Amino acid sequence: MKYLKQKWQITSNAQLMRVLIVFAVTGSTTAKGVQFLLATCPHLMQVNKPVFWYYLSYLILLLAIYQILLLSFAFLLGEWRFFWAFEKRMWRFLSFNRSYKKN
């Protein structure tokens, strides 16, 4: 736990617990939500379509819903500032654009 506190610059154990709870709740909710959306979408479940489209849709939905829920749960638990900085770092990494300064 000391490593995570140092890496994320967290000062208290209570803040660390809130951060870990946000990650856990967001991951679980996202996985169930995407499964539900894909199960209710008849266009993706057709037999003659390649499996590739199902998994591509799954990944796109997973990424989009995760970002929204992560910030939502962070706001509810009072960790907005930490997760907003986390989101910016993650999108900088995903953009493959290395011209940004690392903060």
Side-chain angles (χ1 to χ4, degrees):
M1 293 296 181
K2 286 182 184 179
Y3 173 74
L4 289 178
K5 286 173 69 173
Q6 288 174 348
K7 181 179 179 183
W8 291 339
Q9 299 171 352
I10 293 176
T11 56
S12 69
N13 288 336
Q15 184 182 10
L16 179 63
M17 289 308 296
R18 287 192 305 267
V19 167
L20 293 176
I21 288 170
V22 168
F23 277 125
V25 171
T26 303
S28 301
T29 307
T30 303
K32 291 294 182 184
V34 170
Q35 286 176 353
F36 174 76
L37 286 175
L38 289 177
T40 58
C41 184
H43 302 292
L44 294 172
M45 301 305 283
Q46 292 177 357
V47 177
N48 58 355
K49 286 199 175 185
V51 175
F52 169 77
W53 293 112
Y54 174 81
Y55 286 112
L56 181 64
S57 303
Y58 185 84
L59 289 174
I60 290 171
L61 282 172
L62 190 74
L63 184 62
I65 292 173
Y66 184 82
Q67 305 309 316
I68 294 166
L69 288 179
L70 186 68
L71 292 175
S72 301
F73 288 130
F75 177 77
L76 292 175
L77 289 177
E79 292 296 331
W80 171 263
R81 185 171 289 154
F82 172 82
F83 282 99
W84 182 244
F86 184 83
E87 287 282 324
K88 289 191 288 187
R89 283 192 310 266
M90 185 166 53
W91 280 107
R92 185 173 37 236
F93 175 77
L94 291 175
S95 72
F96 301 110
N97 186 355
R98 303 297 182 221
S99 64
Y100 292 115
K101 290 182 180 177
K102 291 186 178 181
N103 298 4

